[in-house]
Structure formats: structure tokens, C-alpha cells
Amino acid sequence: MVILVTGGAGYIGSHTNKALNKAGYETVVLDNLCKGYENFAKWGEFVNCDFGSSDLREVFEKYDIDGVLHFAAFSSVAESVELPQKYFKNNYKNTLNLLKVMREFGVDKFILSSTAAVYGNPEKVPITEDQELKPINPYGHSKWITEKALEREAEKGNFNYVSLRYFNAAGCDFDCEIGELHDPETHLIPLVLDAAIGKRDSISIFGTDYNTPDGTCIRDYIHVNDLASAHIAAYEYLCDKNTSNIFNLGNGEGYSVREIIDMCKKVTGKDFKVEIADRREGDPDILIADASKIRNELGWQPKYDLECIVSSAWKWHQKINSI
Ligand code: UFG
């Protein structure tokens, strides 16, 4: 039997797909390459298909699918504010198509790439999974209603899911075979590394008047390989326990935008210009995970700290920019 990895040619999907194959699982990567890269999908079989299309049934007919890891989604907070329909259609409506086909073929295990953006501006940090969900941007809202659809699906029976609410995925594969490569890039660490490598003149800090000690937004950065190992633990949980669950996935430590810039300067040994810009719409002040639930229930532990995250990202950055 195989695991279907939607979005397995993208950033987090490809790292998890590689880890699954290394752990002995057989996978089929399904990706329409609108964001992903075919050479990121070199483990398992690759199928070029959109998970929202009617062609999806043929994939379920062809392969004996045991479960689905669903990474395929749009994930830019800023873009979602500009184009909400794009996010609700792909992230929510197209996921209903996937769930429908899974039901038809009796596939009963599902892992959702959810997000800390479902919490909005949390009442308390670190954030526990039981806090009220009040997303402040369309991206977070699209994942929130997808979680609700999964909850209802599981209530019907013969279907279990794990929703993993990622905090800020960062860092890259240590072998540099795959890495973070968005077009356009909007994420903080790769943009700061662009400034370090001289691809841009400066890095802008979006807002210095947030309710944080240095006035810049605080996020919980987690290495993409730690995310990958959490997916394997979650899949084993679904196989063993026959129940559904929701877990935060973060390191449990917060770093401000300024602290990230400082760490990038330290790791790269480069200096560059830092500018202050206006706030970016849709950004909460602080997102830090309380990740004790996943540690306790799945026995998962993150291995990599911020310095390791930035070092791995810098190695990849140097590789892709030297070509
Ligand atoms: N930032 C800057 N300058 C930049 C880019 C980003 O100051 O040039 C700031 C942002 O305003 C934010 C922080 O850096 O405060 C992190 O921004 P990212 O774009 O790297 O990440 P986000 O926190 O916006 O979003 C990421 C994922 C989302 C996920 C969220 C959960 O992209 O999918 O983490 O914490 F929902």
C-alpha cells in the first residue's frame, strides 16, 4: 500500500516525502506543479494532477492508497488578503473533492497541513490547541473551515484525521537536495538571506509598533525536517489508534523579526541594510506554540534550534544562488 502525498513537490511536502521514503514507506506524490518542482519529487512515484480535478479518481483507481498526507494548498497570508476566493477555493473547496474521492475508495486516514493562522491574535501565548479559533486572514480562515469539514467527516465514522497546525516552517534539507524556493518569495528568512547574499539591497521590517518587547512580530520557527518527523509520528498514530486529533507543531520558542535578522547576520557573517516599513495586513503580534500535546501524545520532539534552521537555509541559499 502507498501513502498519497499531495503537494509533495512543494517545500514542506517534499521534505516529508523524502523522510517517509527514508523510513521505508512507499509514496505517490500528487502535485500540479503550480508551486512545486518536479525535481523535488524524486522519492516515490510522481503524478502531475490537481487534487481538485476529476482526474483524481484515476489516481485512486491506479494505486492502492492507505492514507493521504495533504500538503497541497496556497499558504501566503499576504496574498490571501488580496485574493480570498483563491484561498477558499483551493484550500477548502478542493479539499472537499479529495475527501469525496477518499470516501468513494474507502481511504480512511488523512493528515491536514493546518496552520497557526487559525488562532488569529491569540488570547494567551504559548497557544494551546483548545484556544478559541479566530483567524484574522483568509488563509487562516480557509484552514479553519477545512478542519471543521474534517471534524464532521470523522463524526460520520470510518474516517480519521490528524490536523497539524504548523507554526513557521523554515530551514532546509541538510543534504541540500531540496529546499525553500517560493516564487515570489514572501517569507522572512529566505528574504533576509537574499539581502545577505546581495540579491537585494536591504530587508524591510514590516512594522515596529506591535505589542512585543522590540515592537516587531514574534513567531515560532520550526525546522522543516522536524515537521517531517511529526508527520510520520502522526501517521503511525492514525494507523495504531483509530481516532482523530489536532496538534500544534512548533518549537515553543518565539523570535522577533529583529532577532531573526540578527541570527542571519551571525550565521552568514554578512552585514546588510535593514529598513523599517509599514505593517503588512493580516499579521498577528505573537504566535508561539504550546507543543506539549504532540510531545506527550505522539512522543515527538523537535531536534533543531534557530541557529541550525538558519544555517541549513543559508547552505541551500548559497547552492541555488551559485547556479
Ligand atoms: N516579515 C518582515 N519582512 C519581510 C517578510 C516578513 O518583516 O520581508 C515579517 C512578517 O511581517 C511576519 C514575520 O516576518 O511578522 C514572518 O513572516 P513570514 O511571511 O515569514 O511568515 P508568516 O508568519 O506571515 O506566515 C507563516 C506561513 C503561514 C503560517 C504562519 C503561521 O507562511 O502559512 O507562518 O505562523 F500560517
Side-chain angles (χ1 to χ4, degrees), residues 99-117:
L99 294 177
K100 180 166 150 268
V101 178
M102 284 178 68
R103 274 286 184 200
E104 193 184 331
F105 286 84
V107 179
D108 61 359
K109 293 187 266 304
F110 187 87
I111 298 182
L112 177 71
S113 297
S114 188
T115 172

Side-chain angles (χ1 to χ4, degrees), residues 75 77 115-117 139 166-168 186-189 191 203-206 217 219 221 257 280 283 287:
S75 65
V77 169
T115 172
Y139 169 60
Y166 308 162
F167 284 66
N168 287 53
T186 59
H187 294 99
L188 181 63
I189 293 177
L191 288 174
I203 182 74
S204 296
I205 298 180
F206 297 148
C217 288
R219 296 287 180 272
Y221 294 84
V257 174
R280 190 177 68 177
D283 277 340
L287 292 173

Side-chain angles (χ1 to χ4, degrees), residues 11-258:
Y11 171 45
I12 303 171
S14 64
H15 284 78
T16 305
N17 182 47
K18 180 178 177 180
L20 282 165
N21 280 271
K22 277 182 136 182
Y25 289 98
E26 282 184 39
T27 62
V28 172
V29 168
L30 184 130
D31 201 298
N32 68 0
L33 300 181
C34 77
K35 295 277 178 193
Y37 303 91
E38 195 168 344
N39 66 341
F40 276 27
K42 49 187 152 206
W43 300 274
E45 281 201 48
F46 174 68
V47 181
N48 187 333
C49 177
D50 188 317
F51 72 95
S53 79
S54 54
D55 297 342
L56 188 67
R57 288 193 74 262
E58 289 166 29
V59 180
F60 279 74
E61 263 162 14
K62 182 166 174 194
Y63 297 100
D64 190 9
I65 296 171
D66 185 50
V68 177
L69 268 61
H70 183 39
F71 296 92
F74 295 132
S75 65
S76 159
V77 169
E79 186 188 51
S80 80
V81 174
E82 291 304 312
L83 301 169
Q85 289 185 26
K86 178 175 172 179
Y87 279 70
F88 284 102
K89 178 170 186 298
N90 196 41
N91 296 358
Y92 173 61
K93 183 167 167 272
N94 287 350
T95 300
L96 298 183
N97 182 56
L98 176 57
L99 294 177
K100 180 166 150 268
V101 178
M102 284 178 68
R103 274 286 184 200
E104 193 184 331
F105 286 84
V107 179
D108 61 359
K109 293 187 266 304
F110 187 87
I111 298 182
L112 177 71
S113 297
S114 188
T115 172
V118 295
Y119 295 111
N121 260 316
E123 262 140 44
K124 277 195 292 110
V125 279
I127 306 168
T128 49
E129 288 85 350
D130 54 5
Q131 278 201 39
E132 200 183 339
L133 305 183
K134 290 190 280 189
I136 60 167
N137 53 60
Y139 169 60
H141 211 137
S142 72
K143 291 288 182 174
W144 175 74
I145 52 167
T146 306
E147 284 194 356
K148 288 291 156 205
L150 291 172
E151 195 182 315
R152 294 297 184 188
E153 204 61 46
E155 277 170 18
K156 265 180 65 185
N158 299 320
F159 177 86
N160 289 304
Y161 73 95
V162 168
S163 179
L164 296 173
R165 292 180 181 157
Y166 308 162
F167 284 66
N168 287 53
C172 298
D173 175 43
F174 297 109
D175 301 331
C176 270
E177 290 183 288
I178 46 181
E180 187 164 17
L181 193 55
H182 299 110
D183 183 20
E185 188 52 80
T186 59
H187 294 99
L188 181 63
I189 293 177
L191 288 174
V192 178
L193 297 179
D194 274 349
I197 215 161
K199 255 178 85 180
R200 46 189 300 140
D201 296 337
S202 62
I203 182 74
S204 296
I205 298 180
F206 297 148
T208 53
D209 58 349
Y210 284 94
N211 189 17
T212 62
D214 70 15
T216 68
C217 288
I218 292 180
R219 296 287 180 272
D220 177 339
Y221 294 84
I222 174 162
H223 195 283
V224 66
N225 281 354
D226 281 329
L227 288 181
S229 67
H231 283 79
I232 296 177
Y235 201 74
E236 286 166 358
Y237 172 88
L238 280 177
C239 294
D240 291 349
K241 296 275 200 253
N242 198 27
T243 186
S244 295
N245 219 327
I246 295 177
F247 299 104
N248 284 338
L249 203 39
N251 269 324
E253 280 177 50
Y255 294 93
S256 71
V257 174
R258 283 196 193 278

